[in-house]
Amino acid sequence: MAKKLSSLSEVSTFPSDGRLIISSAGSGTKRITKANAALELKEAFITGSGYHNSIFRGKNLGTINSLVELETFLTNHGVSSGAFNDIYLGDYITIKDGTYNAVWMIAGFNTELNKGSSGVISSNHITLIPRTKVTDAEMNESNDTTGGYLGSKMHTTTLPLIEAALQTVCGTHLKKHNILASNAMTAATPSMAGAGMTGASTGWEWVSVYASLLTEVQVYGSTVWSSSAYDVGEGFEKLPVFNFINPIEYQRAYWWLRAVVSGSYFALVITTGNAAYNNASYSLGVRPLIVLA
């Protein structure tokens, strides 16, 4: 006769083969791996952005084809409550916007809370960036950084196209977030990038956007080629996902950052993975940050 589970001897550690037998009243006795059991226990007792910002998983969470599917996704994963059920850093979804159809991975939880001078995000949210570049584009058609990041063609033309495509699927769940970004460059000012370079950001302002390029700090954890503090603004913290992966983990590609480097250069990540810069007129990868709630 089979023993009842309640009559079995108790142990204080998981079996060496990594399996734990448990009882499920609805569908009989089942087994669960040690790793999944640990995650389930953590989900039961620990919630919130701090916990989820400390765990990388990288799981494919499926494809979003419509607003209804996105709303189901956000509800099932408890985004509005801040529970963030069964979603972790690096987990990704494909958003079928009809134009870019990019794969977006979770880069952080609640990273944009209360940032800005007005109209701040006060609700729980997930912060996403493309797993690989969405498209290629130049920062400016002319090879200069006049007007800083906010004066660039990237900010005024390219990113709004990506935003508009995303809104066809995400609707009002695509949230505006505030960035404090450069709006002026003085050609004669020495750049903090060094090496005798001139041309540095000399002004900034708060703007509300649906998509923004990353600062160097959000990728590397520090400035490297940024021309001045005006290139950092509110993006002064490394995105949690980059504590676990490198910037070219999933694709060896050039992609733009929003920092001015000199009168003609913007900062970027290159195929070899190091911090770099290039001419503003080059057409290179675009990986913007967005917020869903």
Side-chain angles (χ1 to χ4, degrees):
M1 180 180 293
K3 291 184 178 181
K4 294 181 177 180
L5 288 179
S6 59
S7 69
L8 297 176
S9 299
E10 184 175 324
V11 295
S12 58
T13 59
F14 286 102
S16 59
D17 65 358
R19 299 195 181 278
L20 171 69
I21 303 300
I22 62 173
S23 176
S24 176
S27 57
T29 302
K30 303 292 184 181
R31 67 186 183 184
I32 185 171
T33 65
K34 179 171 62 176
N36 286 335
L39 276 178
E40 285 295 311
L41 289 171
K42 287 178 180 178
E43 286 285 357
F45 296 107
I46 307 175
T47 60
S49 59
Y51 164 60
H52 285 267
N53 278 328
S54 67
I55 294 179
F56 179 91
R57 183 171 64 176
K59 179 180 178 180
N60 185 352
L61 299 177
T63 300
I64 304 297
N65 294 285
S66 66
L67 179 59
V68 171
E69 290 182 359
L70 176 62
E71 290 176 338
T72 299
F73 173 87
L74 295 172
T75 299
N76 288 347
H77 292 289
V79 172
S80 64
S81 69
F84 303 121
N85 301 318
D86 195 31
I87 48 176
Y88 297 93
L89 296 174
D91 288 359
Y92 57 94
I93 55 174
T94 300
I95 300 179
K96 290 286 188 177
D97 57 36
T99 301
Y100 302 99
N101 302 319
V103 178
W104 296 83
M105 70 174 175
I106 298 174
F109 297 85
N110 287 349
T111 65
E112 307 309 302
L113 273 179
N114 297 321
K115 289 184 176 181
S117 59
S118 63
V120 303
I121 294 179
S122 58
S123 58
N124 294 301
H125 59 270
I126 51 177
T127 302
L128 302 99
I129 62 173
R131 204 163 184 254
T132 58
K133 62 182 180 178
V134 172
T135 187
D136 289 303
E138 64 271 19
M139 291 296 294
N140 280 318
E141 289 177 329
S142 57
N143 196 41
D144 66 78
T145 61
T146 301
Y149 172 72
L150 295 183
S152 69
K153 181 184 177 182
M154 177 68 67
H155 171 72
T156 61
T157 303
T158 301
L159 292 182
L161 293 175
I162 295 173
E163 295 170 350
L166 286 170
Q167 285 173 318
T168 63
V169 175
C170 301
T172 59
H173 293 286
L174 178 66
K175 299 297 183 182
K176 279 192 171 182
H177 60 280
N178 292 315
I179 62 171
L180 182 57
S182 63
N183 64 358
M185 184 278 295
T186 302
T189 301
S191 172
M192 198 163 62
M197 284 193 272
T198 58
S201 296
T202 51
W204 58 12
E205 65 179 295
W206 282 106
V207 295
S208 184
V209 296
Y210 290 109
S212 59
L213 294 193
L214 304 183
T215 67
E216 283 194 308
V217 178
Q218 286 174 315
V219 178
Y220 309 129
S222 68
T223 58
V224 184
W225 296 107
S226 297
S227 68
S228 78
Y230 292 105
D231 296 309
V232 178
E234 94 302 336
F236 58 84
E237 295 175 294
K238 191 176 185 180
L239 285 175
V241 74
F242 287 121
N243 288 320
F244 298 91
I245 63 170
N246 69 56
I248 58 165
E249 189 90 3
Y250 302 115
Q251 182 184 40
R252 282 174 57 87
Y254 289 78
W255 51 284
W256 288 115
L257 302 175
R258 79 182 200 216
V260 167
V261 172
S262 72
S264 58
Y265 300 142
F266 276 96
L268 75 159
V269 174
I270 67 172
T271 55
T272 48
N274 54 297
Y277 57 85
N278 219 321
N279 293 292
S281 60
Y282 282 18
S283 182
L284 303 173
V286 182
R287 290 181 73 184
L289 178 151
I290 64 171
V291 171
L292 293 181

